[in-house]
């Protein structure tokens, strides 16, 4: 792959870009132009590239250009996506990873960037577990700009009630039984009305607990839902016809489902609906092709939150790194 050429992405090639992401061993929903397209064009300065070997695409990089506070120019993973970094085929070799990173660094230099920073998905997202790319990054001088912790549940054999039950902590089992006795029911909802009801819970909780707003506006979330009808789902806990807890999941790729938003109505705390909702969501996903449910970051702020980690561990989740790599070029 020493003949690699890096070229700017042309919007006319969006369909080919998305086809490559779908067939790759490392791509996610967040790498798709169809996903990134929900952002207004004026929000970011797109600087995405494709890496070519002859007429064949061998890798993609969704990215934007930014000016740092000190005036330097930075080439970064798309800020409108949870995960970024290069997208490559599942058969990427040791030498191929080295050539890929070398080519991207050289391109960054020729474009006058002073810094490169990419956020990579956790290892569970790859079709073949490999750290070739990470090794190449470190060999070429990248360091960790940040190491976040996400948490994930291994779905292997969780469709068997006894195995799922054994992965739960005793307090969670108690909460699940309580929710069932009190009449909480679980179902998915694909309607705009369901997403709107959930968003009201989410918006209220985030402001009450952290004085922040959701990552997406309601209109943006609905836009994404319409773009990905089969890949963005609301899993709801209902008391009669009232939504009292919900999880919005993103099917990120053929292996991993991400719990992007989680919220519940504090007025119905005694029903322990969220515990039942997680257990039933894990059980339903375990009957599918997916290998993991990604619970998302356990950061309650700049550092991991022990209480949030404990909550997710109640369902058998364990911690995984979500690494941000950076290289200063000047």
């Amino acid at each position: 792959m020493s003949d690699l050429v890096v070229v700017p992405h042309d919007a006319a090639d969006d369909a080919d870009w998305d086809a490559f992401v779908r067939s790759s061993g490392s791509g996610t929903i967040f790498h798709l132009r169809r996903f990134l397209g929900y952002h207004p064009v004026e929000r970011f300065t797109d600087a995405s590239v494709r890496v070519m070997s002859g007429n064949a695409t061998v890798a993609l990089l969704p990215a934007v250009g930014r000016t740092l506070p000190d005036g330097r120019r930075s080439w970064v993973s798309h800020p409108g996506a949870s995960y970024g970094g290069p997208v490559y085929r599942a058969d990427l070799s040791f030498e191929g990873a080295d050539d890929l990173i070398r080519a991207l660094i050289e391109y960054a230099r020729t474009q006058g960037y002073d810094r490169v920073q990419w956020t990579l998905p956790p290892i569970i997202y790859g079709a073949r577990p490999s750290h070739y790319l990470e090794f190449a990054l470190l060999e070429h001088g990248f360091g960790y700009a940040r190491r976040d912790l996400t948490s994930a549940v291994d779905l292997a054999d969780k469709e068997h009630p006894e195995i799922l039950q054994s992965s739960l902590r005793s307090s969670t089992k108690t909460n699940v039984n309580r929710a069932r006795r009190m009449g909480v029911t679980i179902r998915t909802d694909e309607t705009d009305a369901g997403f709107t009801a959930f968003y009201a819970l989410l918006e209220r909780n985030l402001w009450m607990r952290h004085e922040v707003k959701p990552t997406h506006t309601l209109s943006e979330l609905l836009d994404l839902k319409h773009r990905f009808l089969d890949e963005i789902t609301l899993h709801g806990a209902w008391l009669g016809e009232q939504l009292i807890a919900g999880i919005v999941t993103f099917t990120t790729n053929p292996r991993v489902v991400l719990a992007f938003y989680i919220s519940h109505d504090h007025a119905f705390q005694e029903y322990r609906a969220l515990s039942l909702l997680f257990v039933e969501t894990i059980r339903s996903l375990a009957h599918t092709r997916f290998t993991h449910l990604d619970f998302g970051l356990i950061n309650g702020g700049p550092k991991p939150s022990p209480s949030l980690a404990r909550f997710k561990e109640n369902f058998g989740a364990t911690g995984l790194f979500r690494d941000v790599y950076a290289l200063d070029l000047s």
Side-chain angles (χ1 to χ4, degrees), residues 57-213:
T57 300
V58 299
L60 305 170
L61 179 68
V64 305
R66 283 193 154 176
T67 302
L68 299 173
D70 61 6
R72 294 187 303 157
R73 297 180 65 230
S74 182
W75 195 30
V76 303
S77 291
H78 203 293
S82 297
Y83 303 130
V87 182
Y88 48 87
R89 296 192 302 250
D91 61 354
L92 182 72
S93 67
F94 176 80
E95 289 183 326
D98 186 79
D99 288 341
L100 173 60
I101 297 307
R102 190 189 306 274
L104 288 170
I105 291 174
E106 180 58 28
Y107 177 82
R109 292 187 189 279
T110 62
Q111 297 300 306
Y113 290 113
D114 302 295
R115 181 178 172 87
V116 179
Q117 182 168 305
W118 301 326
T119 303
L120 271 57
I123 192 170
I124 57 174
Y125 282 79
R128 294 169 59 186
S130 170
H131 281 132
Y132 280 161
L133 188 77
E134 290 86 342
F135 184 84
L137 288 168
L138 295 173
E139 283 292 287
H140 284 280
F142 280 78
Y144 296 111
R146 194 170 68 251
R147 304 201 80 185
D148 291 325
L149 271 174
T150 190
S151 58
V153 173
D154 188 336
L155 297 174
D157 298 323
K158 292 294 194 301
E159 73 270 23
H160 300 296
E162 68 278 6
I163 295 178
L164 176 56
Q165 190 78 354
S166 68
S167 70
L168 305 177
R169 291 185 174 174
S170 59
S171 59
T172 303
K173 297 175 186 177
T174 299
N175 289 340
V176 167
N177 291 333
R178 179 185 179 91
R180 285 178 174 144
R181 286 197 311 270
M182 297 183 75
V184 176
T185 60
I186 307 299
R187 67 176 187 267
T188 58
D189 193 318
E190 309 295 336
T191 66
D192 286 4
F195 273 76
T196 300
F198 170 79
Y199 193 87
L201 293 181
L202 177 69
E203 193 171 37
R204 185 164 63 247
N205 281 353
L206 286 178
W207 188 257
M208 181 176 64
R209 298 179 65 180
H210 306 293
E211 293 190 350
V212 297
K213 295 181 179 181

Side-chain angles (χ1 to χ4, degrees), residues 225-301:
K225 170 57 190 168
H226 296 155
R227 289 169 184 257
F228 297 95
L229 293 175
D230 298 322
E231 293 164 283
I232 296 180
T233 303
L234 170 61
H235 305 259
W238 304 78
L239 194 60
E241 292 304 309
Q242 183 167 1
L243 180 70
I244 62 174
I247 307 168
V248 172
T249 60
F250 287 18
T251 298
T252 53
N253 66 19
R255 293 164 293 282
V256 183
V257 173
L258 171 64
F260 196 93
Y261 285 125
I262 303 166
S263 198
H264 69 285
D265 191 331
H266 286 275
F268 295 88
Q269 179 75 22
E270 63 180 298
Y271 288 83
R272 302 297 190 264
L274 208 50
S275 292
L276 177 60
L277 179 56
F278 270 121
V279 168
E280 291 303 321
T281 300
I282 290 168
R283 190 194 312 277
S284 66
L285 291 174
H287 284 276
T288 65
R289 68 187 186 277
F290 300 111
T291 63
H292 289 84
L293 170 63
D294 186 343
F295 265 120
L297 296 180
I298 61 173
N299 295 46

